[in-house]
Amino acid sequence: MNKNLYHVLGVSKEASDAEIKSAYRKLARKYHPDLNKDDKDAAEKFKEISCAYDILGDKEKRKKYDNNEIDADGKPTGFGAGFGQGGYSSYGGNPFGQGGSRTYYSGNGENFDFSSIFGDDIFSQFTGGGSGFQGFGGASRRARRGQDIAYTMRVDFLDAAKGAEKGVIINGKNINVKIPAGTEDGQTLRLKGLGYEGINGGANGDVLITVNVDKHPYFSSEGLNILLDLPITVKEAVLGAKVTVPTISGKVMVNIPPYASSGEKLRLKGKGIKSRSGQGDQFITLRIVAPKAKNAELEKALAAMPDETVRNF
């Protein structure tokens, strides 16, 4: 068959060696049969460009081809010699047979590694691990697990503390994500089998969701415990009082003991986070807040009080 090898690779006759090599790599990736399983002509096209590169990628063969000493099949012109002048000797004459090496052997004694075109990782998908080229005829391939999908989700503080379900779209699928009670900021949730599909019957990957918990206006958490700073007045601190405080499950009434100090802690048993690992409490830290407006009576009463030492330094 009379064909122009430069046209096969899509380059001009004046193309440099680097340009020829680059053109071959692009075409090899484009027409590799394992990347074009539904294209019956891919194997023939791949064979054609490989044969073209076997000649044009070799300086001596290219020179002979340009001088019309060999034809497009590498045969000496006018003699009808066999394909032995070059080819795929490591395949036993069949570049697409099964069981051969992944290394292409050109007629000039040089080896060409396909991983330089596709990369070791993608090549291992064709061969089941890169230990040997398995051919294009459906030879056994090693099952490979699908890739995981990383996703970041923002969650309200109370949803993270009490647990909730959130609907998200990941990889084109609607997924209901169960947020366990007590989920902490930065924690990763794993949704098994919802990642990318496996290769050659391998298991699907997972979805890995990193949870970013929003801050709450007045709650914070420490493990399963809920923390709350409670502002109280000077009068409430001295005389004691009953005040309403919030918890993650609703409001409750709390007794402030007389002569309470700022920084003193009160404990509400069982009012923290309830999860599979246990039940937390809520800890209230008292913060005495002085009045903003001037209060003459308060000043007079405090002035009449005897001096008292409260510092031990």
Side-chain angles (χ1 to χ4, degrees):
M1 178 173 59
N2 186 19
K3 58 185 174 182
N4 188 309
L5 299 184
Y6 290 100
H7 292 172
V8 172
L9 294 183
V11 296
S12 68
K13 190 174 181 179
E14 291 76 27
S16 65
D17 293 341
E19 290 173 332
I20 289 175
K21 185 175 183 179
S22 176
Y24 170 65
R25 289 188 175 195
K26 292 179 181 178
L27 291 172
R29 176 182 287 275
K30 180 178 180 181
Y31 290 106
H32 195 290
D34 278 339
L35 295 178
N36 299 272
K37 294 182 179 180
D38 296 329
D39 186 353
K40 297 180 180 179
D41 297 328
E44 283 302 317
K45 183 66 176 178
F46 184 75
K47 179 179 178 181
E48 184 181 41
I49 62 176
S50 296
C51 290
Y53 183 71
D54 176 56
I55 293 175
L56 298 185
D58 182 284
K59 290 184 178 180
E60 291 299 322
K61 288 184 182 181
R62 181 182 180 183
K63 183 177 180 181
K64 290 181 179 180
Y65 176 73
D66 289 343
N67 292 334
N68 202 29
E69 296 177 28
I70 59 174
D71 62 15
D73 293 323
K75 300 175 183 177
T77 56
F79 295 94
F83 193 67
Q85 296 295 328
Y88 307 82
S89 60
S90 67
Y91 290 110
N94 180 7
F96 307 107
Q98 301 177 7
S101 167
R102 82 178 193 175
T103 304
Y104 167 84
Y105 181 83
S106 64
N108 61 4
E110 296 181 355
N111 293 334
F112 188 86
D113 191 346
F114 275 106
S115 66
S116 67
I117 302 175
F118 301 106
D120 287 330
D121 183 63
I122 192 170
F123 191 88
S124 67
Q125 296 181 24
F126 301 152
T127 64
S131 60
F133 189 72
Q134 300 297 324
F136 311 151
S140 62
R141 296 178 176 89
R142 186 180 65 185
R144 292 172 60 87
R145 182 179 177 276
Q147 291 184 337
D148 294 334
I149 298 176
Y151 187 84
T152 300
M153 172 188 290
R154 298 205 67 84
V155 176
D156 179 77
F157 179 90
L158 292 179
D159 286 338
K162 297 190 293 183
E165 284 193 15
K166 294 290 184 181
V168 296
I169 299 177
I170 300 176
N171 197 24
K173 301 176 183 178
N174 291 315
I175 300 176
N176 286 326
V177 180
K178 292 185 178 181
I179 303 166
T183 297
E184 298 181 352
D185 184 55
Q187 185 173 336
T188 299
L189 306 179
R190 181 182 293 271
L191 307 182
K192 192 170 180 61
L194 295 182
Y196 290 111
E197 292 184 358
I199 301 171
N200 299 324
N204 291 350
D206 301 334
V207 171
L208 304 177
I209 299 180
T210 300
V211 178
N212 291 336
V213 180
D214 292 331
K215 291 186 177 180
H216 195 273
Y218 38 85
F219 289 131
S220 61
S221 64
E222 188 176 82
L224 296 180
N225 296 324
I226 294 293
L227 309 180
L228 172 70
D229 284 351
L230 179 63
I232 59 174
T233 67
V234 174
K235 180 179 179 179
E236 290 171 334
V238 175
L239 301 180
K242 289 185 176 181
V243 298
T244 301
V245 299
T247 71
I248 62 172
S249 55
K251 295 181 178 181
V252 297
M253 191 69 70
V254 172
N255 288 321
I256 307 297
Y259 294 94
S261 298
S262 191
E264 189 173 336
K265 293 183 183 296
L266 306 178
R267 177 186 179 190
L268 301 181
K269 188 172 177 61
K271 291 297 182 180
I273 297 170
K274 183 178 182 180
S275 71
R276 293 180 179 179
S277 59
Q279 173 74 62
D281 303 323
Q282 179 165 316
F283 288 90
I284 298 172
T285 301
L286 302 179
R287 303 295 183 191
I288 299 175
V289 179
K292 298 296 183 182
K294 183 176 177 66
N295 189 321
E297 291 186 7
L298 176 61
E299 292 177 10
K300 183 177 180 181
L302 293 176
M305 292 177 58
D307 292 338
E308 182 178 3
T309 301
V310 294
R311 291 170 289 276
N312 57 5
F313 54 85

